[in-house]
Amino acid sequence: MSITGIESLVYGVDDVATATRFFEDFGLPIAGKSEASARFVLAEGSSVVLLHRDDPVLPVTTMVGGGVREIIWGVDSAQALDAYVERLRGVVEVRRDDDGTAHFVAPFGVAMGLRLWRRKPVLYAPDPVNAPGRVNRFNQHRKWRERARPKVISHAVWAIPDFEAGYQFMRDMLDFRLADRQRGVGVYLRADGSNNHHSIFFINANAPTPGMDGQVRFHHANFGVEDIDEIMTGANHMVRKGWEASHWGLGRHRIDSALFYYIPCPAGGEAEYGADSDYIDDSWVPRDWTNPLFGVAHYMHNLPPFLIDAPEWEFRYLTEETATAGGGH
Ligand SMILES: [Fe+2]
């Protein structure tokens, strides 16, 4: 039984028209829109749904600010879905739709759902990379693009006050795996049926960093593209369309090795283009990023003040025992 990824992200937004225009420019394929809502469907079959923040369909939680009001996880079989609901019922209230979709609010204040989902395989074909003495692309230029077209939703991120309790809930109720810990900052968790480095990241809402105020807040969602060229084509298009500029610009995280490009999003939080992340399975050994700043980035275009001094190279591997005991947090 497994959760194979994010089936949909349901946003509550201030202005449906503006948020719709943002995601159209961002490159998500529109499947339908009205004055009150919009729906995008990506190649893998996952959806982004935009509703007005006061829409009665949206769950009410302790989350403050805009962003994703409900994340629906895709489950690979009806039996698995029923089993998860059975498990959850001992801990949270679960409501089921006629189509079997289960809705609940996790104890840490994030509304979630479970839905039977057959994720469509997505096949990318990134251009081979050349280096002196290692020519993988001969007499052949790279793809030229006009737009970015994300095909997958890779992960979503919230700040929550007790990220350890959040980890334990996701592990015990939904079989999520620990991918990495960033000391004092948060935990990266992977759905058991996905090889993405993480499907969800919980940030410590009490961390002494900008934007953290101890409350539940949506932070960002990551949309996967093919490579650095697609990221930057999308980034340039968003600038041409007049959207707020990225603060960090292009960079590469050290945790999960992924290329990133975050853009402030009028639907709430930020929308991230992502490529070339780590893909892992249960043989992955989680790490404890004891110096959290070391984990943030290998490099980035607009170096923020907190990374002007190069961080110490510091992390360790977690044993099973230290992973579950909180990793020395
Ligand atoms: Fe991310």
Side-chain angles (χ1 to χ4, degrees), residues 252-271:
R252 191 183 284 279
H253 290 301
R254 207 180 304 266
I255 299 174
D256 100 343
S257 306
L259 289 166
F260 63 76
Y261 193 99
Y262 299 93
I263 301 173
C265 175
E270 297 198 314

Side-chain angles (χ1 to χ4, degrees), residues 155 157 198 220 222 253 262 272:
H155 60 256
V157 179
H198 56 287
H220 73 265
N222 178 295
H253 290 301
Y262 299 93
E272 177 185 17

